[in-house]
């Protein structure tokens, strides 16, 4: 019984390590700009890079959690229902 959590943790780490997620900084910058009310607001390159990295972490983490949820339900395909089921806890973990 005690070996199961170790194996599960290794699978989660493996799923996250194998992902090749990337976002273009320009896309993130434009997404950030869309929320600004003042058109003169500037965004530093460091801020854009940080938000790009945070977005990548959020996407990978949500994908891993949804895959784990699908696995718990003995499903081979991750669906929108799996993503929706992990969303509440994900939003609490990433305020």
């Amino acid at each position: 019984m005690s070996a199961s959590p170790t194996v599960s943790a290794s699978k989660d780490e493996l799923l996250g390590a194998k992902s090749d997620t990337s976002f273009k900084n320009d896309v993130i910058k434009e997404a950030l700009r869309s929320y600004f009310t003042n058109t003169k607001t500037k965004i530093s390159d460091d801020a854009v890079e940080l938000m790009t990295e945070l977005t990548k972490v959020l996407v990978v983490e949500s994908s891993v959690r949804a895959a784990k949820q699908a696995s718990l339900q003995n499903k081979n395909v991750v669906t929108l229902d799996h993503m929706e089921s992990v969303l509440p806890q994900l939003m609490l973990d990433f305020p």
Side-chain angles (χ1 to χ4, degrees), residues 66 69 73 78-87:
Q69 182 67 28
Q73 296 176 357
V78 177
T79 64
L80 184 58
D81 291 334
H82 298 119
M83 290 296 271
E84 288 174 348
S85 69
V86 300
L87 190 59

Side-chain angles (χ1 to χ4, degrees), residues 62-74:
S62 61
S63 300
V64 168
R65 289 183 187 194
K68 189 174 182 179
Q69 182 67 28
S71 176
L72 289 172
Q73 296 176 357
N74 295 324

